[in-house]
Amino acid sequence: MDEQENLEAVMGLIMYGGNAKSDAMEAIAAAKKGDFELADQKLKDADESLNHAHHSQTGMLTEEAQGKHMDITLLAVHSQDHLMTAIAFKDLATEIIDLYRRLDEK
């Protein structure tokens, strides 16, 4: 990967991670209002964004495994942090939505 491709991959992680986190937050808000159909759609959207982010990350890891090392910059570290936070947030959102479903059933 050249420098431009690295930057695009890093920015992809940040963008898709941010989208996933936003979708997960919107899913919680929808569940809080009792709109579980929208909550489920937003979780699906979050998963789609996470899949895109994973593709960017996999490309970076593949290049690294092939001996094509990239410079570790603050931006690269930030992108990984963004992705991991989004994954954790989406997992937590799923649990919160399940709790709202249980409360709604009572």
Side-chain angles (χ1 to χ4, degrees):
M1 254 188 223
D2 66 18
E3 191 174 327
Q4 181 63 31
E5 289 172 323
N6 282 339
L7 182 59
E8 288 175 13
V10 165
M11 294 308 292
L13 292 180
I14 293 170
M15 181 184 71
Y16 288 120
N19 288 348
K21 188 175 175 189
S22 293
D23 285 333
M25 191 67 201
E26 289 175 19
I28 293 170
K32 188 174 184 178
K33 293 178 183 176
D35 189 347
F36 296 105
E37 186 175 327
L38 179 59
D40 290 339
Q41 180 58 53
K42 288 296 182 178
L43 287 177
K44 184 178 174 185
D45 293 345
D47 280 332
E48 188 174 318
S49 288
L50 289 174
N51 283 335
H52 286 297
H54 279 296
H55 288 300
S56 291
Q57 185 183 49
T58 299
M60 293 165 68
L61 292 171
T62 300
E63 293 283 325
E64 183 75 21
Q66 293 173 347
K68 300 172 188 169
H69 305 292
M70 72 179 270
D71 292 332
I72 302 301
T73 64
L74 183 56
L75 192 59
V77 172
H78 178 66
S79 72
Q80 291 296 315
D81 182 53
H82 235 3
L83 178 57
M84 297 310 298
T85 301
I87 291 168
F89 199 89
K90 190 264 172 183
D91 290 344
L92 184 58
T94 300
E95 294 300 318
I96 291 169
I97 291 165
D98 285 345
L99 290 172
Y100 276 122
R101 278 188 219 279
R102 286 185 189 180
L103 290 173
D104 192 61
E105 291 172 359
K106 292 183 179 187

